[in-house]
């Protein structure tokens, strides 16, 4: 199957469904694994890196799950396509920017990805829309059960799965949720929420994960402790101690905005919609910022004639790499801002475009 | 409210009562952290390394430690923050232990999933690991009789496991 067929529409898991989808955009779990008997990726020379890639690829391809996925040797993937994969949350920035032999296998519905030679030999990833961490974990477990029959992992009884960075050792699990928290931001409570999250040893990051600033009220929350707790305990703690309470706070803050400041809220929402619908040049940061209000407006049913699917589509398709791919040409930032505006105006005037 | 130590916005408010005497502190995040009142949530690995290791290293010859398998030295790891191979966890055990403990809320050891396949030299340790898993399970279920007999079995492996 040709990977480029994916690029012109949103992934099924991005359709805006899923539990608590008014606030939880997505749930993602990653597992870090290394193959016993090889040096860790950052220490290995080019030949050894190639050996690991071949070793994992060959074994992955003997399994049904591996055969059903699309495999990409990153060496053959041009820069633009790498960025598209990052924007679709299918690979990490590290894999996209990395040198050396590395690859990725992606399931057709884009919910599963197996990155080979990222920071660790293997990074398995499962993703779903809304709050679905348990389902996501059972999905990643299914592929892990198949893979572990094929290879032996570096493991120590004391430290669990051994990873290149000691901060990932143990379960090697990174559980994260993407949250949309515009009302907490507007009512000035977001810092309080982050402090509480940080006190619980959770990391708070921006839309694109590690090393990115939050834009447009989207925040990624994930565990940092990977040792000394079981996978299910880590998932359960993140869910019940952080995600559920934050969702409650955000809903309460939204309700309070409607009760006390409805006109001011509508003003923000409809100004955002107005700007997006009439702009002639817009950068991706401003677009995200305004789309955040529009998304809120759709969920609160202040905006009635726009579907969440269209909002999500604009989100994804107006990111730099997707936009260039859509218009099939290299563009400098100014041209991109024009094309982005054109795309958004067209979508909003007639969503079926 | 402004921070008492600098002029930034105070976000950490602490009321202490010592010997019946009440004191209040109003600090910004940075000063509260420097004061040891709060901990930084996302401590990057490099910071963990410099903070924790500097003191002990002055006293010992840790920086000379070298892994025979990947030739990584302890000081190299300190610079880059990434280990070279699984064996490093044994070779750098002593200095690493503190870093790992600090990074993982003082965790004592791994709990959770374990692999299907484990090579020869780890087999013993694996059975020990499985016993520990069972023990955890027994304790969780308040099955103290089972827990006691599992503890006896674990002791047979020696204290340092």
């Amino acid at each position: 199957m040709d990977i480029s067929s994916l690029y012109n529409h949103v992934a099924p898991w991005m359709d805006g469904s899923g539990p608590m989808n008014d606030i939880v955009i997505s749930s993602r779990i990653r597992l870090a694994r290394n193959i016993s008997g090889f040096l860790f990726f950052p220490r290995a020379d080019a030949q050894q890196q190639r050996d690991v890639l071949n070793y994992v690829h060959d074994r992955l391809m003997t399994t049904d799950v591996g055969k059903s996925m699309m495999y990409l040797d990153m060496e053959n993937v041009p820069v633009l396509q790498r960025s598209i994969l990052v924007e679709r949350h299918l690979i990490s920035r590290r894999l996209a920017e990395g040198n050396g032999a590395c690859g990725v296998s992606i399931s057709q519905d884009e919910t599963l990805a197996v990155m080979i030679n990222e920071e660790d030999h293997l990074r398995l990833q499962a993703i779903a829309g809304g709050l679905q961490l348990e389902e996501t974990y059972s999905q990643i477990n299914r592929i892990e059960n198949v893979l572990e029959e094929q290879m032996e992992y570096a493991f120590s009884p004391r430290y669990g799965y051994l990873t290149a960075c000691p901060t990932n050792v143990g379960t090697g699990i990174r559980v994260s949720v993407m949250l949309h928290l515009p009302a907490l931001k507007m009512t000035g409570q977001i810092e309080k929420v982050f402090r509480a999250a940080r006190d619980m040893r959770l990391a708070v990051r921006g839309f694109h994960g590690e090393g990115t600033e939050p834009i447009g009220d989207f925040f990624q929350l994930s565990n940092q402790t990977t040792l000394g707790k079981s996978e299910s305990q880590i998932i359960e703690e993140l869910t019940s101690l952080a995600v559920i309470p934050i969702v409650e706070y955000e809903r309460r803050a939204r309700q309070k905005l409607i009760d006390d400041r409805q006109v001011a809220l509508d003003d923000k929402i409809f100004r955002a919609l107005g700007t997006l619908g009439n702009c002639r040049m817009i950068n991706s940061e401003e677009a995200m910022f305004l789309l955040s209000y529009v998304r809120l407006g759709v969920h609160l049913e202040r905006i009635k004639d726009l579907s969440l699917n269209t909002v999500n589509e604009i989100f994804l398709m107006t990111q730099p790499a997707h936009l260039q791919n859509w218009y099939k040409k290299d563009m400098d930032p100014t041209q991109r801002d024009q094309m982005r505006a054109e795309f958004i105006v067209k979508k909003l005037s007639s969503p079926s475009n | 409210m402004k921070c008492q130590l600098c002029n930034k916005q105070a976000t950490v408010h602490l009321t202490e009562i010592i010997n019946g005497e009440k004191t209040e502190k109003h600090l910004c995040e940075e000063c509260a952290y420097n004061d040891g009142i709060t901990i930084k949530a996302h401590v990057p690995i490099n910071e963990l390394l410099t903070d924790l290791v500097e003191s002990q290293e002055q006293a010992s010859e840790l920086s000379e430690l070298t892994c025979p398998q990947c030739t990584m030295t302890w000081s190299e790891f300190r610079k880059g923050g990434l280990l070279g191979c699984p064996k490093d966890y044994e070779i750098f055990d002593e200095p690493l232990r503190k870093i790992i403990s600090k990074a993982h809320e003082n965790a004592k050891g791994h709990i959770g999933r374990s692999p299907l396949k484990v090579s020869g030299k780890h087999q013993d340790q694996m059975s020990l690991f499985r016993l520990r898993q069972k023990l955890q399970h027994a304790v969780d279920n308040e099955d103290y009789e089972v827990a006691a007999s599992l503890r006896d079995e674990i002791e047979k492996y020696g204290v340092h496991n």
Side-chain angles (χ1 to χ4, degrees):
Chain A
M1 145 157 209
D2 179 11
I3 189 92
S4 64
S5 65
L6 296 178
Y7 298 160
N8 291 336
H9 42 78
V10 297
W13 67 264
M14 292 182 195
D15 70 357
S17 62
M20 303 192 189
N21 64 59
D22 52 334
I23 292 158
V24 186
I25 310 258
S26 60
S27 302
R28 188 185 72 190
I29 295 184
R30 275 189 189 157
L31 295 180
R33 297 288 186 260
N34 286 284
I35 314 298
S36 169
F38 290 98
L39 300 188
F40 290 144
F41 176 74
R43 188 71 176 171
D45 65 26
Q47 185 54 49
Q48 290 166 326
Q49 293 178 343
R50 179 54 63 186
D51 289 346
V52 169
L53 182 65
N54 292 339
Y55 178 98
V56 175
H57 172 252
D58 292 351
R59 277 158 185 78
L60 184 61
M61 284 308 173
T62 63
T63 67
D64 286 341
V65 59
K67 279 180 212 152
S68 71
M69 295 168 103
M70 295 168 279
Y71 175 74
L72 299 170
D73 187 325
M74 293 305 284
E75 257 177 17
N76 305 327
V77 181
V79 177
L80 179 66
Q81 291 202 29
R82 291 178 184 216
S83 304
I84 290 177
L85 294 173
V86 173
E87 289 173 2
R88 299 181 84 81
H89 300 282
L90 288 168
I91 64 172
S92 63
R93 260 164 210 271
R94 195 187 161 101
L95 196 83
E97 289 162 9
N99 291 313
C102 53
V104 63
S105 268
I106 297 163
S107 70
Q108 309 226 0
D109 64 0
E110 298 181 65
T111 60
L112 269 182
V114 178
M115 285 178 261
I116 308 170
N117 282 345
E118 208 241 25
E119 184 177 281
D120 294 297
H121 295 150
L122 273 168
R123 287 276 172 101
L124 312 177
Q125 166 184 302
I127 196 163
L131 182 62
Q132 302 197 60
L133 286 173
E134 277 169 34
E135 296 77 359
T136 308
Y137 183 60
S138 52
Q139 209 194 354
I140 207 166
N141 246 340
R142 270 213 313 279
I143 188 164
E144 166 74 331
N145 290 340
V146 173
L147 285 183
E148 73 170 1
E149 284 184 21
Q150 302 295 324
M151 40 199 130
E152 192 188 307
Y153 292 134
F155 183 87
S156 110
R158 189 183 342 145
Y159 288 136
Y161 292 93
L162 301 177
T163 49
C165 184
T167 55
N168 298 325
V169 85
T171 53
I173 199 171
R174 190 75 63 210
V175 182
S176 49
V177 286
M178 185 72 72
L179 302 171
H180 184 217
L181 307 173
L184 286 173
K185 180 81 173 291
M186 267 184 247
T187 54
Q189 302 175 76
I190 199 89
E191 275 305 318
K192 218 162 60 189
V193 170
F194 290 168
R195 263 203 306 282
R198 291 188 173 121
D199 285 345
M200 292 165 56
R201 310 266 306 183
L202 301 174
V204 182
R205 300 192 170 105
F207 191 70
H208 288 296
E210 201 149 357
T212 62
E213 287 297 313
I215 322 168
D217 316 324
F218 296 95
F219 305 94
Q220 191 195 75
L221 204 65
S222 57
N223 69 301
Q224 297 195 82
T225 301
T226 54
L227 179 72
K229 294 178 186 176
S230 69
E231 292 83 352
S232 43
Q233 195 180 348
I234 290 168
I235 292 166
E236 152 61 23
E237 280 183 13
L238 184 82
T239 308
S240 67
L241 301 179
V243 180
I244 306 265
I246 292 174
V247 166
E248 296 269 308
Y249 292 145
E250 170 68 19
R251 283 192 182 147
R252 234 179 285 159
R254 289 182 184 186
Q255 191 54 49
K256 205 158 164 36
L257 283 173
I258 292 176
D259 293 346
D260 302 349
R261 288 155 62 187
Q262 187 173 332
V263 177
L265 176 69
D266 279 347
D267 184 63
K268 272 196 191 309
I269 291 170
F270 287 99
R271 273 173 190 267
L273 188 61
T275 306
L276 287 170
N278 294 286
C279 60
R280 293 296 179 266
M281 274 177 84
I282 190 165
N283 66 28
S284 62
E285 204 169 309
E286 188 187 358
M288 288 257 286
F289 181 78
L290 297 172
L291 280 166
S292 167
Y293 287 129
V294 171
R295 188 179 192 276
L296 178 69
V298 171
H299 270 297
L300 294 179
E301 294 177 352
R302 312 305 298 168
I303 301 172
K304 294 200 170 76
D305 50 359
L306 187 63
S307 76
L308 199 56
N309 222 351
T310 305
V311 177
N312 288 340
E313 194 183 350
I314 297 174
F315 252 115
L316 182 72
M317 300 308 290
T318 58
Q319 292 182 56
H322 272 80
L323 199 69
Q324 296 198 44
N325 186 63
W326 178 261
Y327 286 101
K328 296 280 170 248
K329 57 178 176 187
D330 279 342
M331 295 183 265
D332 62 35
T334 312
Q335 289 171 310
R336 254 193 334 247
D337 291 353
Q338 287 176 23
M339 289 305 179
R340 181 176 293 112
E342 190 186 299
F343 184 93
I344 296 173
V345 170
K346 208 190 263 176
K347 272 285 161 201
L348 288 178
S349 65
S350 165
S352 56
N353 278 339
Chain B
M1 184 179 285
K2 295 263 190 260
C3 171
Q4 291 170 333
L5 300 176
C6 63
N7 256 337
K8 279 186 223 144
Q9 180 79 19
T11 52
V12 178
H13 308 280
L14 182 79
T15 310
E16 266 183 323
I17 301 175
I18 301 165
N19 299 331
E21 202 174 310
K22 190 170 143 191
T23 52
E24 283 185 30
K25 274 188 183 171
H26 304 283
L27 303 171
C28 69
E29 205 141 353
E30 185 88 37
C31 293
Y33 170 71
N34 291 335
D35 218 29
I37 295 171
T38 54
I39 48 158
K40 246 188 219 172
H42 183 65
V43 190
I45 179 78
N46 291 335
E47 213 172 291
L48 279 172
L49 292 174
T50 14
D51 284 3
L52 277 152
V53 181
E54 232 149 47
S55 54
Q56 43 170 307
E57 248 167 51
Q58 285 162 357
S60 69
E61 302 289 304
L62 279 178
S63 50
E64 304 282 302
L65 269 180
T66 307
C67 172
Q69 197 166 296
C70 69
T71 70
M72 171 84 72
T73 65
W74 177 250
S75 53
E76 247 180 301
F77 164 65
R78 276 199 46 198
K79 267 180 234 141
L82 294 174
L83 293 164
C85 75
K87 188 141 187 87
D88 291 354
Y89 280 93
E90 291 169 40
I91 304 294
F92 304 143
D93 179 46
E94 195 199 324
L96 256 187
R97 200 180 295 202
K98 291 206 174 94
I99 291 169
I100 291 176
S101 164
K102 175 99 177 174
H104 298 280
E105 301 176 69
N106 305 318
K108 296 276 175 286
H110 176 55
I111 301 168
R113 199 183 162 114
S114 61
L116 206 61
K117 294 184 185 179
V118 175
S119 61
K121 77 177 171 110
H122 274 319
Q123 299 249 321
D124 242 27
Q125 292 188 46
M126 276 316 286
S127 17
L128 178 66
F129 174 75
R130 300 228 155 84
L131 282 175
R132 275 214 220 99
Q133 297 266 82
K134 278 191 204 157
L135 174 64
Q136 179 72 31
H137 191 73
V139 172
D140 287 347
N141 290 315
E142 298 182 16
D143 201 342
Y144 297 116
E145 242 173 83
V146 176
S149 73
L150 285 167
R151 272 201 196 93
D152 290 344
E153 253 186 276
I154 288 170
E155 287 212 346
K156 286 182 206 151
Y157 283 83
V159 238
H160 294 295
N161 287 302

